[in-house]
Amino acid sequence: MEFEQAWLDYSRKCSCEGTDGIEAVFVGIADDRQDILIKNSVAELQRAFVGLFGRELAVHTGAPVGDGICLALREGMQAEAYHIYEDGGKISIEASDSRGILYGVFALLRHMQTENSLRGLNLTKAPVMPMRMLDHWDNMDGSIERGYSGKSFFFEDNEILVNDRTVTYARLAASVGINAVVINNVNVKDAATWLITERYTDKVRALSEVFAGYGIKMYLCLNYAAPMELGELASADPLAEEVRGWWKKQMAFVFREVPNLGGFLIKADSEGRPGPFTYGRTHADGANMLAEAVAPYGGKIIWRCFVYNCQQDWRDEKTDRARSGYDNFIGLDGTFLDNVILQIKNGPMDFQVREPVHPLFGGLTKTNQMLEVQIAQEYTGQQRHVCYLIPMFREILAFHTYVAKECDTVEDIVCGRTFGQKNCGMAAVANTGNDENWTGHDMAAANWYGFGRLAFEPELSAEEIAREWIRLTFGREEQVEETLLYILMTSWRAYENYNAPLGIGWMVNPNEHYGPSVDGYEYSRWGTYHRADHLGIGVDRSGAGTGYALLYREPNASIYNDKERCPDKLLLFFHHMPYTWKLKSGKTVIQHIYDTHFEGVEMVDEMVERFRKLQGKLPKKPYQRMLERFLHQKEHAREWRDQINTYFYRKSGIADERGRKIY
Amino acid sequence: MEFEQAWLDYSRKCSCEGTDGIEAVFVGIADDRQDILIKNSVAELQRAFVGLFGRELAVHTGAPVGDGICLALREGMQAEAYHIYEDGGKISIEASDSRGILYGVFALLRHMQTENSLRGLNLTKAPVMPMRMLDHWDNMDGSIERGYSGKSFFFEDNEILVNDRTVTYARLAASVGINAVVINNVNVKDAATWLITERYTDKVRALSEVFAGYGIKMYLCLNYAAPMELGELASADPLAEEVRGWWKKQMAFVFREVPNLGGFLIKADSEGRPGPFTYGRTHADGANMLAEAVAPYGGKIIWRCFVYNCQQDWRDEKTDRARSGYDNFIGLDGTFLDNVILQIKNGPMDFQVREPVHPLFGGLTKTNQMLEVQIAQEYTGQQRHVCYLIPMFREILAFHTYVAKECDTVEDIVCGRTFGQKNCGMAAVANTGNDENWTGHDMAAANWYGFGRLAFEPELSAEEIAREWIRLTFGREEQVEETLLYILMTSWRAYENYNAPLGIGWMVNPNEHYGPSVDGYEYSRWGTYHRADHLGIGVDRSGAGTGYALLYREPNASIYNDKERCPDKLLLFFHHMPYTWKLKSGKTVIQHIYDTHFEGVEMVDEMVERFRKLQGKLPKKPYQRMLERFLHQKEHAREWRDQINTYFYRKSGIADERGRKIY
């Protein structure tokens, strides 16, 4: 398929000083340490040089003779780290393991494509987060839950696919440092039940070996009730001996058959999925039982904290879904085994365009934690709107939890700096599918690229990451770069502007989660309300309300709890406010709603206007594909603007100060 | 299946004076006129007597000897009419055709089961509406659009079913006077394309013959684009010779293969279905072309008037979906051939719990018309709520259009009294499926029963029909009869009370059309808006607004146009009114909303309380089945009440005068 190489497309000729003399790869690595990763590293260099420079690289084993790229293993470096340096025309890539070599190769290629020279190159990088994971919500029938880029490339008609596309996927993921991939949907039981059985082991192993070649551990989602469905046990009680025995036996089987398996991801006791609650057991009981079963094989259990009552009565103002993750897990802090990791969504609700940071970050102090974000743009435009999420992720990572005097940000926690943990990191719900360009919207690929880069090097700015992605994907033409950069860097703010205001979220059409519906979730069972009436809007989560604000450490708790100090952008999440309330910006809430919604549309108009000027400067097919989506976004942003403004104008009766058209 | 006989269940012993002496059926009909209908009539009598009285009836041909039931054809009676009379213990059923005999047999059985005596019986009845039709929305895969009673019994896996259930269906339909049935969904093209091809003719014929045995003509829905899909023509232009030729040839084929075919039902140029508009032709061009093709075989073309713009912009307050049926068809009055019938929905929107009568009734004066109602409870509780619709249908039929000095009601028009038409009548979108009891909710069968009875004898009151159905279905126990009668007669009013207020409609969840969502259709493309703001609600369809009110004849136009004179129950359909407006009832609009919603729930509570007292008096299975639905209705009526009251309280800020709980 065309465009299938995404940012690894080597067909555009590259100009980079210092590459001319490079004619060979010297593999200075003992034969017995030349594993498949080293082979794939060399092959990647060869492939790239043919494409970028029209030159076949020779491969030599042993000490270098003349200019070339030298690969060498060196003791004493951090795992997965690499050191690249130029010395008199010779380029060395050194690492203490073959994964580091592979990352070094991709880093070198990235440098050649995005910069002008190799002269004086001297780069040492170690991945900052131990786990950098993609979670796919692919189903065995080939569909993808919340997939906006076509069908699955892992599954089709209940079979596992292992083919060229799998290899390209693994290369793309590895090139940005991804080292763990969950292939099946955490929300659906079929694959989660059957992938650990004999029926699928051959293909599961084959797929895991493709990943292994690129330093990626494969993970599976697991059905907590598997002992009942597969083992014909009467229970899945984590404290029952026969259940524990069943899991141990089953795990011995699975890890023998699939040695590259990293472990399992589990959603238990949430949104209808089974779990330990059924047996009066805790999440820790459930997770630890599985952790014991996988420990002999170095396996990990990743346990989702997305647990809440999804049968809430909208009339009930006491129950607060935002509290539920915290309330369910905080009491279990310190009771999980070391190979258990809690996977915590960035916010307490569900991947809205704006949420406060999840209070479990900073709450938990003795538990391995992983930050879960969603690059599948479920609530952020479904890859029909452009919405570059890296700026949002950086804000989340930079959030001070005040759990410690130093190293107290979310980034510190999930990098292991706060508590010295190793089993931690960041996971993203993936945005890929079988569409030619992988992500539906060509620009959505920046989120995939960016997520990996950010997890590897969180010190990179969103803009730096965006520039890299643009250069790798579309070359170094200045207008292209500046235009696409402008669009990416504007997009999240634009989307937030025309979406639900001031952190309240959820004004989407039920189920599909696309397009505006202000009351779409207002009278439903999902715990997602805005409580707007003719005088005001927002949920009182202060101490006088549900108390959610007080779950944070000080000074966050006091700030959020106080409507005068709460940041504007989260005000309606924490407080029910009159439309006439003056924000810190000096605007009233209602005027803020009107202004941001008009501004959001203007921002999209500007994005599209600039984009149109790239006609002829971008390849025709991606240009057309993007243009079509931009035109839809233009219209759909107006739909958001008009529905939301109209809703609040009709409800409040307060006119726009500037007299613009509201229906 | 148990309960499959519905109101033709003869297993309950019957006591009726004058039946004891009946030992035989005397068929006083010449051999050559003893068609399948006569045979089925005799068989029905025999079957009933075995069940009701435990007695085999002998069958004699020729003059009667002793007591018995005598069937005889007699010249000079109206088609389909029957005369039943008792004379010295002998019961005669006379008619001028065998369909009249069949209807007489069912009438006699009904009388025996619902009344105490046959003595002095003397009953002459002729069906008042020429066409009494059921429209099924069944798809060839076995699903039913807007079906709430299980799968199709006409189709399964793209095959046509002809079996015992088909026969029972035909008996049930004929027993209430149905004489036409459309078997496939008017909204879906698959069956509409393929049923007229060789692939299906054997089964289509077999099915039509089952119907023929009970006096029912079978109709098919037709895909207007069939010449393109089947005939490989490049167009379906109704004025193109090759298209006309294709249809003539195809119709010759179909009617030769399926002689009992009555004709076709077509939805054209509506909700995405193809039609003559594509070619710049009118509905008359399209309908007449087909009518010419079927005329040689006595076929009829039934053309739906449900045509509107379903891509409307909610911001557009000028376009009015309510006008569209009228605007599309009024100019074509008098241009349709005589075997074309326009099928007009009861209201201008789409089967809401309350709508004004469609203005084409009284608008058209030179066109055959058929009233279309929906007993599938799409918007009236989906056969989980009980909602007996016969009172609504009677109101519609009784509506004075003022199209003539006398005989100006909708009933007069569709009975043929106003314009002397023969091709007219009433059709109902069917509510049946493969559920054991045919209709999901046992009480929904009253709508099926009632529709047929009403079309045959519109002079029957809703209460009379209800009593008949109860007695036939559950026997003559007084408490059972009075309780179920109370429930049926209360149900529509209760449902309207807790539904959208004052005729505005559409406050349902999009797509599924079940459960409240006040803004569910407010910002959509379907032309279905309530325009509520903080001061008032309603659509201005007066002359100052969309002008819809003026489509009616005087004095209706003036009454609807004037907010002071417009009936309360339709006020918000015709006018945008402040919440503080005083209704004729003396209540304000907002207080009316609150009061009716509390009352609606109280009415359901009363219904359920009374129903519970029937435990032990109804067969266990239907009792449980109904109880389960009643308990759901109780809860769901509260959901309606609370969502609607809360929505308007939050929007208007006006408190309930009586201080009841609103959220």
Side-chain angles (χ1 to χ4, degrees), chain A residues 22 85 188 247 372:
Chain A
I22 298 175
Y85 57 94
V188 170
W247 278 116
E372 180 182 358

Side-chain angles (χ1 to χ4, degrees), chain A residues 314-315 534 639 642 650, chain B residues 314-315 534 639 642 650:
Chain A
W314 59 268
R315 302 167 186 85
H534 68 298
E639 195 62 41
D642 291 343
R650 289 188 185 175
Chain B
W314 59 269
R315 302 167 186 85
H534 66 298
E639 195 62 41
D642 291 343
R650 289 189 185 174

Side-chain angles (χ1 to χ4, degrees), chain A residues 187-208:
Chain A
N187 302 307
V188 170
K189 75 170 188 180
D190 286 16
T193 308
W194 291 100
L195 290 178
I196 56 169
T197 67
E198 211 171 0
R199 162 80 175 80
Y200 288 104
T201 37
D202 285 351
K203 282 294 186 72
V204 168
R205 181 174 50 248
L207 188 55
S208 81

Side-chain angles (χ1 to χ4, degrees), chain B residues 548-619:
Chain B
Y548 169 83
L550 305 178
L551 303 181
Y552 292 86
R553 292 184 187 267
E554 291 296 0
N556 289 335
S558 296
I559 292 170
Y560 287 148
N561 199 48
D562 180 352
K563 52 174 75 76
E564 302 275 1
R565 294 168 72 202
C566 182
D568 284 352
K569 62 191 175 186
L570 289 169
L571 185 62
L572 301 183
F573 191 93
F574 285 103
H575 299 281
H576 186 87
M577 303 302 296
Y579 295 119
T580 52
W581 175 267
K582 274 260 164 68
L583 296 171
K584 289 170 194 61
S585 66
K587 290 180 183 175
T588 60
V589 167
I590 190 75
Q591 194 57 38
H592 172 92
I593 292 174
Y594 297 151
D595 287 351
T596 49
H597 285 77
F598 283 107
E599 277 161 29
V601 167
E602 286 157 19
M603 288 163 85
V604 173
D605 288 351
E606 176 68 22
M607 281 158 56
V608 178
E609 197 175 314
R610 293 197 192 190
F611 180 79
R612 279 176 172 287
K613 297 195 178 125
L614 298 186
Q615 187 167 20
K617 304 203 173 216
L618 287 176

Side-chain angles (χ1 to χ4, degrees), chain A residues 114-133:
Chain A
T114 57
E115 305 294 338
N116 292 319
S117 173
L118 294 178
R119 300 286 172 228
L121 175 63
N122 189 344
L123 196 66
T124 303
K125 289 285 171 196
V128 172
M129 298 191 193
M131 296 192 69
R132 307 174 297 279
M133 178 180 258

